[in-house]
């Protein structure tokens, strides 16, 4: 049915490529392109021989002209951006210049400021609309499936949703004293930033990790959960009608937080350049270089993730609570595609969002967050491609 250019060859891209190859009726041909060609070739070597044809290419996506040249050569229908958030705008520019649809999993971030906002990408709305192209923003798990869950709850379970609590819990254990389960630089920028939540039309800022709860979650048990800022709150606040409050919660172990605190206190998480032996370096990028590559954690991570949304609102004049979630097992992911559950829960929805565009199920031009589209075909594919969802009443809040 179509051709997809996948940019990036890291943890998430590896899962997405495996999943595209499981759906050759839609993904007839893919090109895996990244800064380091050998990583693309290694992925191709693993998956070659199936029905989906695979090519590889080298590209530095910081340069729009390089992406344009590659798109002109490969002629994809969609570009799936699985590089880093820094490349979102250069790749969107290349898609506009060549008339190709765009999908990503994380909103644009300037390199010199840990700011997670959609304003830079929303500024492209008119240009994509006029070109008749779709830019689908945030087709991972969170953002991504959490937005699809919200659209599904709104469509099938509520007249009005008043509150959403997004709960992202990872009960996986890799046995190492400290490691991050996706790109360390992006992960640490996210968790060391100030927290925030949405209430009555505005965002309220909180000190990092200052609000904690303990939820007893299905299949993983009681977990310490902390309030964080997360990008999907910004779009859900606009797209879910009647919404009054949105919070995002993520699990962290005490050991992880203690390590992070020490790293912060000694200045290792800073993104301000410093001079080291005559050369300018960014401490957080140096820290990334000494931490384990998240991909190497896959064989040793055991346990499950549970990510979902607790909705509160009104249906037929009555107050209602509804909980939608997915449980994913790290070892099952490793046995299926060689990755841990964090990459898996992002790579599968990235493939599904791309399939929505290729199949024409989602076809409204413009720059869109995922909850703006019909959730039903996406929910159906989650069940078919490894992330089955479950529904229940509110999980027990212990503390
Ligand atoms: P990795 O660091 O494992 O992979 C990133 C890949 O992008 C690497 O192959 C890297 O190449 C490549 N890359 C980096 N810069 C460039 C560039 N200038 N040009 C071309 N390629 C480049 O990251 P992950 O796979 O863990 O994460 C990928 C994305 O997914 C990130 O944006 C992350 O924020 C997002 N994400 C989203 C989640 C969600 O639920 N929505 C959850 C987890 C992640 P090289 O090897 O040369 O460095």
């Amino acid at each position: 049915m179509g051709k997809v250019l996948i940019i990036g060859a890291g943890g998430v891209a590896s899962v997405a490529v495996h999943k595209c190859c499981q759906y050759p009726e839609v993904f007839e041909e893919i090109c895996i392109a990244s800064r380091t060609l050998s990583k693309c070739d290694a992925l191709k070597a693993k998956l070659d021989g199936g029905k989906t044809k695979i090519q590889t290419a080298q590209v530095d996506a910081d340069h729009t002209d390089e992406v344009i040249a590659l798109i002109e050569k490969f002629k994809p229908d969609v570009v799936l951006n699985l590089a880093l958030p820094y490349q979102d705008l250069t790749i969107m520019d290349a898609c506009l210049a060549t008339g190709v649809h765009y999908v990503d999993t994380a909103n644009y971030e300037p390199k010199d400021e840990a700011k997670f906002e959609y304003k830079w990408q929303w500024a492209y709305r008119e240009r994509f609309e006029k070109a008749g192209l779709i830019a689908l923003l945030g087709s991972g798990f969170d953002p991504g499936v959490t937005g699809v869950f919200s659209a599904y709850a709104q469509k099938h379970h509520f007249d009005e949703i008043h509150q959403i609590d997004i709960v992202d819990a990872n009960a996986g254990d890799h046995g190492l004293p400290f490691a991050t389960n996706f790109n360390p630089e992006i992960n640490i920028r996210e968790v060391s930033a100030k927290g925030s939540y949405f209430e009555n039309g505005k965002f309220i800022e909180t000190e990092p990790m200052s609000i904690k709860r303990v939820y007893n979650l299905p299949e993983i048990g009681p977990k310490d959960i902390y309030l964080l800022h997360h990008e999907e709150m910004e779009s859900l606040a606009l797209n879910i009608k009647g919404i009054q409050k949105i919070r995002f919660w993520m699990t962290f172990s005490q050991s992880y937080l203690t390590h992070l605190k020490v790293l912060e206190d000694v200045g290792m998480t800073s993104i301000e350049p410093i001079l080291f032996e005559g050369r300018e370096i960014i401490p957080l990028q140096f820290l990334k270089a000494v931490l384990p590559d998240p991909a190497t954690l896959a064989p040793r991570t055991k346990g499950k993730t549970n990510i979902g949304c607790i909705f509160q609102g009104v249906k037929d004049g009555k107050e209602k609570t509804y909980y939608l979630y997915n449980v994913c097992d790290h070892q099952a992911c490793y046995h299926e595609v060689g990755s841990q559950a964090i990459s898996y829960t992002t790579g599968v929805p990235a493939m599904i969002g791309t399939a929505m565009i290729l199949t024409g199920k989602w076809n409204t031009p413009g720059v869109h967050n995922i909850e703006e589209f019909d959730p039903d075909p996406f929910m159906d594919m989650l069940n078919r491609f490894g992330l089955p969802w479950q529904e229940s009443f509110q999980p027990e809040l212990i503390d």
Side-chain angles (χ1 to χ4, degrees):
M1 191 171 282
K3 287 167 80 168
V4 177
L5 170 61
I6 298 174
I7 302 186
V12 175
S14 169
V15 175
V17 168
H18 275 84
K19 287 290 165 177
C20 291
C21 292
Q22 288 178 12
Y23 200 12
E25 307 88 295
V26 168
F27 295 89
E28 283 172 339
E29 208 173 332
I30 58 175
C31 175
I32 313 163
S34 190
R35 199 164 47 181
T36 313
L37 182 64
S38 58
K39 290 195 188 170
C40 310
D41 288 337
L43 258 176
K44 174 177 156 70
K46 264 197 208 165
L47 285 153
D48 241 355
K51 285 190 182 152
T52 302
K53 279 193 226 144
I54 306 175
Q55 294 186 24
T56 61
Q58 199 275 334
V59 72
D60 184 343
D62 284 329
H63 303 291
T64 302
D65 53 342
E66 286 194 27
V67 183
I68 291 176
L70 181 58
I71 294 177
E72 282 173 345
K73 192 164 161 229
F74 180 62
K75 299 196 180 352
D77 302 289
V78 183
V79 174
L80 172 56
N81 168 17
L82 298 176
L84 298 179
Y86 316 130
Q87 282 83 44
D88 289 4
L89 301 187
T90 47
I91 299 177
M92 287 174 84
D93 284 330
C95 286
L96 276 175
T98 51
V100 174
H101 302 297
Y102 170 88
V103 179
D104 69 26
T105 65
N107 67 8
Y108 173 71
E109 246 183 86
K111 274 189 186 155
D112 53 0
E113 204 185 352
K115 255 203 172 309
F116 314 93
E117 285 181 47
Y118 279 114
K119 69 173 180 209
W120 292 283
Q121 290 181 279
W122 285 346
Y124 283 70
R125 274 178 180 147
E126 218 181 297
R127 276 174 282 168
F128 271 81
E129 236 168 69
K130 278 198 180 134
L133 295 172
I134 304 170
L136 173 62
L137 307 185
S139 190
F141 206 106
D142 42 340
V145 176
T146 51
V148 175
F149 281 179
S150 300
Y152 181 84
Q154 176 160 279
K155 181 173 176 185
H156 298 286
H157 290 272
F158 288 92
D159 297 326
E160 205 164 78
I161 298 174
H162 293 153
Q163 183 167 325
I164 307 175
D165 281 288
I166 301 166
V167 182
D168 177 337
N170 179 9
D173 182 8
H174 45 59
L176 296 172
F178 184 79
T180 62
N181 44 37
F182 71 97
N183 184 290
E185 190 185 330
I186 306 295
N187 184 222
I188 291 174
R189 279 164 73 112
E190 182 175 280
V191 302
S192 50
K194 289 217 173 182
S196 89
Y197 61 95
F198 175 81
E199 191 164 39
N200 298 328
K202 57 179 194 292
F203 280 92
I204 295 154
E205 209 167 67
T206 60
E207 287 307 309
M209 307 293 168
S210 58
I211 303 181
K212 178 188 155 193
R213 281 187 160 187
V214 184
Y215 269 117
N216 189 7
L217 294 166
E219 297 188 48
I220 63 170
K223 285 279 161 288
D224 288 353
I225 302 213
Y226 295 83
L227 187 139
L228 286 190
H229 174 70
H230 223 248
E231 60 202 58
E232 65 265 54
M233 291 194 289
E234 194 188 355
S235 67
L236 290 171
L238 295 176
N239 293 327
I240 302 298
K241 71 170 170 33
I243 192 75
Q244 294 163 5
K245 191 168 189 175
I246 315 175
R247 292 175 296 194
F248 182 93
W249 305 90
M250 193 180 260
T251 52
F252 295 100
S253 68
Q254 197 46 55
S255 164
Y256 179 97
L257 293 178
T258 307
H259 278 82
L260 190 63
K261 176 99 184 66
V262 173
L263 291 167
E264 262 168 10
D265 287 349
V266 299
M268 281 308 297
T269 60
S270 167
I271 57 174
E272 293 299 319
I274 56 156
L275 264 185
F276 177 71
E277 295 188 342
R279 210 183 133 197
E280 215 175 60
I281 63 163
I282 292 172
L284 180 56
Q285 286 177 1
F286 179 78
L287 175 62
K288 173 182 186 261
V290 296
L291 286 175
D293 175 351
T296 62
L297 304 176
R300 50 186 306 150
T301 306
K302 300 198 167 69
K304 293 176 179 176
T305 60
N306 175 326
I307 320 176
C309 302
I310 305 163
F311 301 99
Q312 291 174 48
V314 175
K315 176 75 177 167
D316 299 330
K318 285 199 199 106
E319 302 263 318
K320 176 176 176 181
T321 300
Y322 174 61
Y323 176 42
L324 248 180
Y325 64 98
N326 162 263
V327 173
C328 192
D329 183 297
H330 286 283
Q331 282 294 300
C333 298
Y334 179 63
H335 292 304
E336 186 196 327
V337 299
S339 304
Q340 31 85 344
I342 305 300
S343 304
Y344 192 91
T345 53
T346 312
V348 172
M351 177 283 282
I352 298 177
T354 310
M356 291 295 112
I357 295 176
L358 278 176
T359 55
K361 290 201 167 98
W362 289 358
N363 55 21
T364 315
V367 175
H368 297 291
N369 292 89
I370 205 158
E371 64 274 11
E372 294 174 56
F373 288 105
D374 178 12
D376 293 353
F378 197 109
M379 291 291 274
D380 176 48
M381 276 189 73
L382 285 171
N383 284 334
R384 283 166 48 212
F385 285 91
L387 293 177
W389 42 274
Q390 304 181 57
E391 39 193 359
S392 114
F393 302 111
Q394 182 160 9
E396 183 192 1
L397 181 61
I398 298 178
D399 192 11

Coordinates of all heavy atoms in Angstrom, one line a residue, residues 27 46 54 59 90 100 111 121 152 165 169 191 215 227 232 258 266 291 327 329 346 352:
F27 N 2.8 -1.8 4.8 CA 4.2 -1.3 4.7 C 4.9 -2.1 3.7 O 5.6 -3.1 4.0 CB 4.9 -1.4 6.1 CG 4.3 -0.5 7.1 CD1 3.2 -0.9 7.9 CD2 4.7 0.8 7.3 CE1 2.6 -0.1 8.9 CE2 4.1 1.7 8.2 CZ 3.1 1.2 9.0
K46 N 18.7 -7.9 10.3 CA 17.8 -8.7 11.2 C 16.5 -9.1 10.5 O 15.9 -10.1 10.7 CB 17.4 -7.9 12.5 CG 18.3 -8.2 13.6 CD 17.5 -7.6 14.9 CE 18.5 -7.2 16.0 NZ 17.8 -6.4 17.0
I54 N 13.3 -3.5 2.4 CA 14.0 -2.6 3.3 C 15.2 -2.0 2.6 O 16.0 -2.7 2.0 CB 14.5 -3.3 4.6 CG1 13.3 -4.0 5.3 CG2 15.1 -2.3 5.6 CD1 13.6 -4.8 6.5
V59 N 21.7 9.9 7.1 CA 21.1 11.2 7.0 C 21.4 12.0 8.3 O 21.3 11.4 9.4 CB 19.6 11.3 6.6 CG1 18.8 10.8 7.8 CG2 19.2 12.6 6.2
T90 N 13.1 20.5 11.4 CA 13.8 20.3 10.2 C 13.1 19.2 9.3 O 13.0 19.4 8.1 CB 15.3 19.9 10.4 OG1 15.3 18.9 11.4 CG2 16.1 21.1 10.9
V100 N 5.0 15.4 1.6 CA 4.9 14.1 2.2 C 4.4 14.2 3.6 O 4.6 15.2 4.3 CB 6.4 13.4 2.2 CG1 6.4 12.1 3.0 CG2 6.9 13.2 0.8
K111 N 17.4 22.6 21.6 CA 18.5 21.9 22.3 C 19.0 22.7 23.6 O 19.4 22.0 24.6 CB 19.7 21.8 21.4 CG 19.6 20.6 20.5 CD 20.9 20.3 19.8 CE 20.6 19.2 18.8 NZ 21.4 19.1 17.6
Q121 N 5.4 23.5 16.7 CA 4.9 22.6 15.7 C 3.4 23.0 15.3 O 3.1 22.9 14.1 CB 4.9 21.1 16.2 CG 6.3 20.6 16.3 CD 6.3 19.1 16.7 OE1 6.2 18.9 17.9 NE2 6.4 18.2 15.8
Y152 N -11.3 7.9 22.9 CA -12.1 6.7 23.0 C -13.1 6.8 24.2 O -14.3 6.6 24.1 CB -11.3 5.4 23.2 CG -12.1 4.1 23.2 CD1 -12.5 3.5 22.1 CD2 -12.4 3.6 24.5 CE1 -13.2 2.3 22.1 CE2 -13.1 2.4 24.5 CZ -13.5 1.8 23.3 OH -14.2 0.6 23.4
D165 N -6.4 11.5 34.9 CA -5.1 11.2 35.5 C -4.4 10.1 34.7 O -4.8 9.0 34.5 CB -5.3 10.6 36.9 CG -5.6 11.7 37.9 OD1 -4.7 12.5 38.2 OD2 -6.8 11.9 38.4
A169 N 3.4 3.6 34.8 CA 4.1 2.9 35.8 C 5.0 1.8 35.1 O 4.6 1.1 34.3 CB 3.1 2.2 36.8
V191 N 12.6 14.5 33.5 CA 12.3 14.3 34.9 C 12.9 15.3 35.8 O 12.5 15.5 37.0 CB 12.7 12.9 35.4 CG1 11.9 11.8 34.6 CG2 14.1 12.6 35.4
Y215 N -0.3 4.2 44.1 CA -1.4 3.5 43.6 C -1.1 2.0 43.6 O 0.0 1.6 43.3 CB -1.6 3.9 42.1 CG -2.5 5.1 41.8 CD1 -2.0 6.2 41.2 CD2 -3.8 5.0 42.1 CE1 -2.8 7.3 41.0 CE2 -4.7 6.1 41.8 CZ -4.1 7.2 41.3 OH -5.0 8.3 41.0
L227 N 4.1 13.3 40.4 CA 3.5 14.2 39.4 C 4.6 14.9 38.5 O 5.6 15.4 39.1 CB 2.7 15.3 40.1 CG 1.8 16.2 39.2 CD1 0.5 16.4 39.8 CD2 2.5 17.5 39.0
E232 N 1.4 15.8 26.6 CA 0.1 15.6 26.1 C -1.0 16.4 26.8 O -2.1 16.6 26.3 CB -0.3 14.1 26.0 CG -0.4 13.4 27.3 CD 0.9 12.6 27.7 OE1 1.9 13.3 27.7 OE2 0.8 11.4 28.0
T258 N 17.4 9.0 44.2 CA 18.6 9.3 45.0 C 19.8 9.5 44.0 O 20.6 10.5 44.1 CB 19.0 8.2 46.0 OG1 17.8 8.0 46.8 CG2 20.1 8.6 46.9
V266 N 25.8 17.6 41.7 CA 27.1 17.8 41.2 C 27.2 18.5 39.9 O 28.3 18.7 39.3 CB 28.0 16.5 41.2 CG1 28.1 15.9 42.6 CG2 27.4 15.5 40.3
L291 N 26.4 6.5 30.6 CA 25.3 5.6 31.1 C 25.0 4.5 30.1 O 25.4 4.6 28.9 CB 24.0 6.5 31.2 CG 24.0 7.4 32.4 CD1 22.7 8.3 32.4 CD2 24.0 6.6 33.7
V327 N -1.1 -3.4 30.0 CA 0.0 -4.0 30.7 C 1.0 -4.6 29.7 O 0.5 -5.4 28.8 CB -0.5 -5.0 31.7 CG1 0.7 -5.8 32.4 CG2 -1.3 -4.3 32.8
D329 N 4.8 -6.7 29.1 CA 5.8 -7.5 29.8 C 7.1 -7.3 29.1 O 7.3 -7.6 28.0 CB 5.3 -9.0 29.8 CG 6.3 -9.9 30.6 OD1 7.5 -10.0 30.2 OD2 5.8 -10.4 31.6
T346 N 6.3 2.4 22.7 CA 6.4 3.6 21.9 C 6.4 3.2 20.4 O 5.7 3.8 19.5 CB 7.6 4.4 22.2 OG1 7.7 4.6 23.6 CG2 7.6 5.8 21.5
I352 N 1.4 2.2 14.2 CA -0.1 2.3 14.0 C -0.5 3.6 13.5 O -1.3 3.7 12.5 CB -0.8 1.9 15.3 CG1 -0.5 0.5 15.8 CG2 -2.3 2.1 15.1 CD1 -1.2 0.1 17.1

